[in-house]
Amino acid sequence: AQSVTQPDIHITVSEGASLELRCNYSYGATPYLFWYVQSPGQGLQLLLKYFSGDTLVQGIKGFEAEFKRSQSSFNLRKPSVHWSDAAEYFCAVGGLGGYQKVTFGTGTKLQVIP
Amino acid sequence: SQTIHQWPATLVQPVGSPLSLECTVEGTSNPNLYWYRQAAGRGLQLLFYSVGIGQISSEVPQNLSASRPQDRQFILSSKKLLLSDSGFYLCALGGEGRSETQYFGPGTRLLVL
């Protein structure tokens, strides 16, 4: 069965500092990987996704993520965090072709301090 | 472009009352549709998904049901709400192309008292 682990429940960073949110997945074949962001009281917004090809994926709002098959990881990064990045971030894994269940991690809540 | 509408945005209901949450989508045809629940401080729990009109799959046994009367309409219902049904309900669509990229609606906040 597929699964996603986000080991950090809560992270606090200073504005302007770099950010890395961790995500580890378990999937029996080549995974599709996603990062979503959720602001309080809002739906989830897709930041980026990895299907194949270049393992470094660029997304919206200056985020990027790197797929490392050997480590079963898909960590999200941003070189300089802005106060508006404070939100909850979800990693997800899915499969190829037709309906494939997407499994979400439990989320990492990011706090940005001045 | 795809748009997902959910209503109501917020709902306060007494225990034992019925429930109907509606999700409609625009800008796509024959999408896969999903209902998720997000309890306070927890991740997303998939409740139901639908790959077509009248086709509903339930992921977990619960007090809720879902229906898809039209291609772009997905309804979440309950005959009698429980306190544990409180949460944030998200509708999502997916299924375009080869990948199951899911796009989410704005959500409905349900409080059962």
Side-chain angles (χ1 to χ4, degrees), chain A residues 32 34 36 38 41-44 46 49 51 88 90 95-102 104-106, chain B residues 32 34 36 38 42-44 46 49 51 59 88 90 98-107 109:
Chain A
Y32 285 177
F34 311 87
Y36 290 84
Q38 184 182 34
Q42 305 294 316
L44 276 70
L46 181 68
K49 58 188 177 183
F51 293 156
E88 191 158 19
F90 292 91
L96 165 68
Y99 169 72
Q100 294 287 336
K101 180 178 176 180
V102 174
F104 289 81
T106 52
Chain B
N32 295 336
Y34 307 84
Y36 288 89
Q38 209 177 10
R42 302 177 69 177
L44 279 76
L46 179 62
Y49 70 89
V51 299
E59 284 291 305
F88 192 49
L90 290 159
R98 300 171 70 232
S99 69
E100 190 59 23
T101 303
Q102 294 185 12
Y103 298 92
F104 287 80
R109 175 80 55 195

Side-chain angles (χ1 to χ4, degrees), chain B residues 16-87:
Chain B
S17 64
L19 173 74
S20 180
L21 302 182
E22 188 163 345
C23 170
T24 58
V25 302
E26 297 176 356
T28 185
S29 59
N30 196 31
N32 295 336
L33 295 174
Y34 307 84
W35 279 112
Y36 288 89
R37 177 169 58 204
Q38 209 177 10
R42 302 177 69 177
L44 279 76
Q45 179 187 32
L46 179 62
L47 302 175
F48 301 95
Y49 70 89
S50 171
V51 299
I53 296 173
Q55 301 178 63
I56 308 294
S57 296
S58 174
E59 284 291 305
V60 293
Q62 59 211 321
N63 184 43
L64 303 169
S65 62
S67 62
R68 186 167 176 179
Q70 301 179 42
D71 182 46
R72 300 172 193 170
Q73 184 184 34
F74 202 25
I75 297 172
L76 183 69
S77 304
S78 175
K79 292 181 179 177
K80 287 186 177 181
L81 283 169
L82 306 173
L83 288 174
S84 58
D85 291 323
S86 293

